[in-house]
Amino acid sequence: MNLIQDTLKGNRRAIARLISHIEDEVPGAREALAALYPHTGRAYLVGVTGAPGTGKSTLVNELAKAYRRWNSPRTVGVIAVDPTSPFSGGAILGDRIRMRDLAGDAGIFVRSMATRGSLGGLARATADAIKVLDAAGYEMIFVETVGAGQAEVDIAKTAYTTIVVEAPGLGDEIQALKAGIMEIADIFAVNKADREGADHTVTAIQMMLDLNHASHVGGQALRRGSGQALRHGSGQVWRPPVCKTIAVRGEGVPDLVQAIEAHAAFLRESGLLGQRERERVATEFEHLLREQLMRQFVSRIAPEQWDELIERMVRREVDPYTAAEMLLRGQ
Amino acid sequence: MTEQKIRVLVAKPGLDGHDRGAKVVARALRDAGMEVIYTGLRQTPEMIVEAAIQEDVDVVGLSILSGAHMTLVPRVVNLLRDNGMDEVLVVVGGIIPDEDVPKLQELGVRGIFGPGTSTQDIVEFIRKEMGAR
């Protein structure tokens, strides 16, 4: 099996094996990614995030089906991230349970991924797994984050369109005012909309958006990263739509698909898609560089020196800033 | 190179709805540091093998309590082989009558774990098999 050639041909075993090699950092994986890189950048990337139990997996299942049934059907790749246990290093990856409808369709590829210690809601290998699916020709790629709270916002720097999934009864208006995950939404899905309080949740989100919109119009353009109120030269602003869905019955999913398409069209027409891609690439590069520098640097430090330094900090003989300085100066 | 994680698909083929055993085993494998892809109830052999391919697993664990193991297990094993996944370790748990054990072994099923097996035995078996590669 030639992993590069076979991945480009869409061979599923090759795709799967290459993703494993990337996760395990098997020698050769980087070279394979380098060879695939010119073939990437074609897929449209959609992030799906939200608190545990809001129905992300079920919604992704429905979205994937909808794109397969589209009048011009698109192939769909799914990357579903679940947390690694900090104690054992193991993980239970259960997102496939809700994606069983996707079995048997050669136009869909689903991969579960454990975070392996990475924070921010994604795994370190997620960005590279996206490249593999992209190069293999999947046109829509959905990335489902771990059940996210308020700080797991990496997805906004990874996807073009980020859907934040809410469910009724999870929080009050104050939660909607807090920074973090609510700020990265390009689209809100209020799932389980048949439950009591769904309208209240929609209203709370709309009110938050009203405030953002007001402060935006009065102030200067907000940067991407606070994605709600995007503006560019011509003064266009994207206000995230709030879609009510009942994913288990597929209700509201056509609206959600339309919202994704509308956002994609907005990004293209406003020229913001290119800007997002640039920021996406820059963020990924920064992460990579930081990690490699760190590894390179740490590998030069003797374990005894490391242990001694930690001990000295524990004994309060030296503070962490000074200790870092000492290491950097090579003392 | 970081440590290579053992990836295990835990699946329940067939129609019986008892997944407690499968869940206990999944949890034990997680606690042993493995990545467990849990696919839930009522999986067809085709679904199981498709998941095994996409997830690139090292091990497929089948939990069968319905008595249909002599139909389901050969189909899973054959489909794995047809897809070039012969190297995947197949283990079966559940209620397997003694006379069926040699037949399953002949098919290439390496581990057969009946009621009362300790989860530690399953963990050790998988580790040993993986280490032997």
Side-chain angles (χ1 to χ4, degrees):
Chain A
M1 194 158 53
N2 178 322
L3 287 186
I4 299 165
Q5 289 311 318
D6 290 346
T7 294
L8 287 171
K9 283 184 211 141
N11 177 302
R12 296 150 90 75
R13 275 194 63 214
I15 296 166
R17 180 57 52 89
L18 185 51
I19 294 175
S20 302
H21 282 190
I22 292 163
E23 285 191 290
D24 292 338
E25 295 180 40
V26 171
R30 275 190 198 173
E31 289 74 10
L33 278 169
L36 292 181
Y37 197 72
H39 303 275
T40 62
R42 291 179 295 195
Y44 194 80
L45 313 177
V46 179
V48 180
T49 189
T54 47
K56 295 183 292 298
S57 304
T58 314
L59 213 47
V60 169
N61 180 57
E62 290 300 320
L63 285 169
K65 281 198 298 188
Y67 274 100
R68 292 299 292 150
R69 288 192 204 128
W70 197 251
N71 36 23
S72 51
R74 292 193 210 160
T75 51
V76 177
V78 174
I79 298 169
V81 188
D82 268 328
T84 293
S85 158
F87 303 108
S88 71
I92 291 191
L93 311 173
D95 292 319
R96 285 190 96 95
I97 297 173
R98 319 263 176 238
M99 298 184 191
R100 49 187 302 145
D101 296 350
L102 308 184
D105 182 346
I108 297 182
F109 190 101
V110 180
R111 178 64 177 230
S112 315
M113 188 172 262
T115 53
R116 299 196 183 182
S118 174
L119 303 171
L122 299 175
R124 196 177 41 74
T126 303
D128 289 336
I130 290 172
K131 291 191 200 95
V132 174
L133 292 179
D134 188 350
Y138 290 94
E139 295 161 297
M140 294 294 294
I141 298 177
F142 291 94
V143 180
E144 180 191 335
T145 72
V146 302
Q150 291 160 334
E152 291 87 349
V153 294
D154 282 359
I155 188 66
K157 296 281 188 191
T158 303
Y160 300 129
T161 297
T162 299
I163 303 174
V164 172
V165 186
E166 290 282 326
L170 284 184
D172 54 14
E173 293 84 350
I174 300 302
Q175 296 297 339
L177 292 174
K178 283 189 184 167
I181 197 167
M182 298 297 282
E183 285 180 281
I184 63 168
D186 298 305
I187 298 167
F188 285 97
V190 176
N191 194 33
K192 306 187 184 186
D194 50 341
R195 293 205 180 167
E196 201 187 321
D199 288 327
H200 186 78
T201 304
V202 172
T203 309
I205 295 168
Q206 294 288 14
M207 282 174 65
M208 174 200 74
L209 293 173
D210 289 342
L211 285 174
N212 285 0
H213 198 69
S215 66
H216 169 71
V217 170
Q220 76 259 60
L222 294 168
R223 248 181 67 86
R224 160 75 171 149
S226 49
Q228 246 96 9
L230 286 166
R231 179 150 74 168
H232 75 123
S234 68
Q236 265 179 284
V237 169
W238 175 261
R239 180 181 164 117
V242 184
C243 303
K244 281 209 276 187
T245 56
I246 307 169
V248 285
R249 301 208 295 260
E251 282 177 36
V253 174
D255 290 346
L256 195 55
V257 169
Q258 280 203 327
I260 295 169
E261 290 305 307
H263 186 246
F266 168 79
L267 290 181
R268 275 190 208 106
E269 283 155 21
S270 61
L272 283 167
L273 189 63
Q275 191 183 318
R276 280 206 176 183
E277 174 63 5
R278 218 188 141 72
E279 286 180 24
R280 210 180 66 77
V281 169
T283 306
E284 192 190 326
F285 184 56
E286 209 179 290
H287 275 286
L288 196 81
L289 204 58
R290 194 182 303 156
E291 193 186 311
Q292 296 206 356
L293 274 173
M294 183 71 185
R295 272 192 207 184
Q296 220 179 64
F297 182 69
V298 170
S299 71
R300 287 197 217 122
I301 302 164
E304 313 80 63
Q305 192 192 356
W306 181 269
D307 291 343
E308 194 208 313
L309 212 51
I310 301 287
E311 267 315 306
R312 289 182 60 195
M313 282 184 268
V314 171
R315 292 196 300 266
R316 301 300 191 265
E317 289 169 14
V318 63
D319 68 285
Y321 285 100
T322 310
E325 283 276 314
M326 285 161 65
L327 273 186
L328 285 167
R329 271 191 266 113
Q331 289 175 354
Chain B
M1 192 159 116
T2 59
E3 159 202 21
Q4 289 195 339
K5 293 265 183 200
I6 298 173
R7 282 171 72 88
V8 187
L9 183 78
V10 173
K12 270 210 61 74
L15 297 176
D16 78 272
H18 305 283
D19 61 352
R20 191 173 155 74
K23 282 178 175 157
V24 169
V25 170
R27 174 66 198 264
L29 299 179
R30 184 201 84 168
D31 290 344
M34 302 180 197
E35 290 184 353
V36 182
I37 294 98
Y38 187 74
T39 56
L41 292 170
R42 296 185 190 89
Q43 299 277 304
T44 64
E46 288 76 14
M47 288 164 89
I48 291 167
V49 172
E50 189 184 333
I53 293 169
Q54 294 181 358
E55 301 290 354
D56 190 35
V57 292
D58 308 293
V59 185
V60 170
L62 303 171
S63 163
I64 309 174
L65 300 164
S66 62
H69 49 275
M70 290 314 295
T71 322
L72 295 166
V73 176
R75 283 177 61 197
V76 171
V77 170
N78 288 334
L79 277 168
L80 282 172
R81 193 175 302 139
D82 293 348
N83 283 283
M85 303 273 287
D86 334 48
E87 80 276 26
V88 170
L89 172 69
V90 178
V91 296
V92 175
I95 299 162
I96 311 292
D98 289 344
E99 64 262 33
D100 290 341
V101 169
K103 294 180 204 158
L104 291 178
Q105 284 170 333
E106 210 167 298
L107 280 168
V109 177
R110 301 273 269 281
I112 297 165
F113 303 102
T117 310
S118 89
T119 53
Q120 200 48 43
D121 288 348
I122 300 174
V123 166
E124 271 159 27
F125 177 82
I126 291 175
R127 278 200 182 132
K128 208 176 94 221
E129 287 283 327
M130 290 298 108
R133 287 205 178 156

